[in-house]
Amino acid sequence: MIRRPPRSTLSSSSAASDVYKRQVSTQSTGSTQAKSSIMFTARQKIKKEKEAQPSDLENQVAQALVDLEINNEELRPTLKNLHIVAAREVVVNKSSTAIVVFVPYRLRELFRKTQVRLVCELEKKFSGQHVVLVAKRNIQDKESHHNRKAAKGQVRPRSRTLTAVHEAILEDVVFPANISAKRTRFLQDGTKLIKVELENPYEVSEKLDTFSAVYNALTGKNATFSLPASE
């Protein structure tokens, strides 16, 4: 005699419960994938050297760039081709800090095209903190370069020297203002103070202390910034 396997005794309520669980599981998986997609998009906006992990601040800046690319029609065409390499906070005074965002050197001119608007929008997202964009540059050590390249007759590019990099950083820090004059003053204690005069400074008039703090943090040099005398 052949015995048939017993029929399922699963109640209708149990079956409905299993269907609900499958639906919840599917929704949860979809939500996780959506979140992962958003984070992956933000991660594409920052490319660290040697696959280093970005800091919380760098992730926040990258996400802010993604948000602007999605929601700002004016910035979208430019931002879709841009990414950053690093970001750090610099203390300006006891009550405020600034955010320095480092951009790839090869993309610096592309950033410049919309930098004024981009900085304005980033400062809104970071509750009014000043934002400064600086191109990532490498200083080539003279001695080590001599050891590696002298035999091949190659000369160290001037753009890689300490002086040239610090001058370029200064121009980045004060943008969109232009430097009209610069002189070095030697103080009684032997330290140097760079006095920088700016042209067309009206969009940066509230950032002079920020410029001093950021330039000092990036180069170790002291600098003060002044505006043209009002007529």
Side-chain angles (χ1 to χ4, degrees):
M1 181 177 178
I2 300 175
R3 294 182 178 180
R4 294 179 179 179
R7 293 182 178 179
S8 173
T9 58
L10 188 64
S11 66
S12 59
S13 61
S14 297
S17 177
D18 287 345
V19 171
Y20 172 75
K21 289 179 180 178
R22 288 195 295 270
Q23 290 175 343
V24 171
S25 177
T26 302
Q27 292 173 356
S28 177
T29 301
S31 177
T32 301
Q33 290 175 346
K35 290 180 180 179
S36 298
S37 177
I38 292 173
M39 290 303 295
F40 180 70
T41 303
R43 187 64 182 86
Q44 288 180 323
K45 285 298 181 184
I46 176 168
K47 297 183 179 180
K48 303 280 290 182
E49 295 180 352
K50 300 179 181 179
E51 298 183 356
Q53 291 300 312
S55 66
D56 289 342
L57 175 62
E58 289 168 340
N59 282 327
Q60 292 172 19
V61 174
Q63 186 59 55
L65 292 175
V66 170
D67 294 341
L68 289 173
E69 183 177 340
I70 294 172
N71 300 314
N72 191 303
E73 294 183 0
E74 179 182 344
L75 295 175
R76 185 181 303 142
T78 303
L79 286 180
K80 68 180 182 180
N81 299 314
L82 299 178
H83 64 271
I84 65 173
V85 295
R88 60 175 286 193
E89 270 192 329
V90 171
V91 176
V92 177
N93 50 49
K94 293 181 179 179
S95 60
S96 64
T97 59
I99 299 174
V100 183
V101 179
F102 296 91
V103 304
Y105 179 76
R106 63 184 179 84
L107 297 179
R108 69 193 187 284
E109 294 301 330
L110 194 56
F111 268 99
R112 285 280 177 92
K113 292 181 179 180
T114 57
Q115 183 167 332
V116 174
R117 178 65 185 275
L118 176 59
V119 166
C120 180
E121 295 298 328
L122 287 174
E123 289 177 345
K124 291 178 183 178
K125 288 185 173 294
F126 287 94
S127 302
Q129 275 185 281
H130 289 163
V131 175
V132 178
L133 301 187
V134 177
K136 180 68 175 177
R137 296 176 173 84
N138 295 320
I139 298 173
Q140 197 168 58
D141 183 73
K142 184 177 181 179
E143 182 177 354
S144 63
H145 177 81
H146 175 77
N147 292 337
R148 293 194 310 270
K149 304 293 184 179
K152 298 182 180 181
Q154 297 185 15
V155 179
R156 176 179 60 162
R158 184 187 178 280
S159 61
R160 296 290 185 89
T161 63
L162 178 68
T163 300
V165 170
H166 284 187
E167 289 177 352
I169 290 174
L170 183 61
E171 293 178 357
D172 286 350
V173 167
V174 302
F175 185 85
N178 296 321
I179 298 173
S180 61
K182 182 176 65 173
R183 62 184 185 275
T184 301
R185 180 181 177 185
F186 292 88
L187 305 180
Q188 292 182 350
D189 59 3
T191 59
K192 296 180 181 180
L193 177 64
I194 303 172
K195 305 190 74 173
V196 183
E197 297 178 9
L198 302 176
E199 290 180 335
N200 59 305
Y202 305 105
E203 295 178 359
V204 299
S205 59
E206 298 179 353
K207 297 185 176 182
L208 302 185
D209 290 340
T210 296
F211 292 164
S212 297
V214 170
Y215 188 68
N216 178 264
L218 299 184
T219 67
K221 296 179 178 179
N222 297 319
T224 61
F225 298 84
S226 60
L227 310 180
S230 57
E231 295 180 359

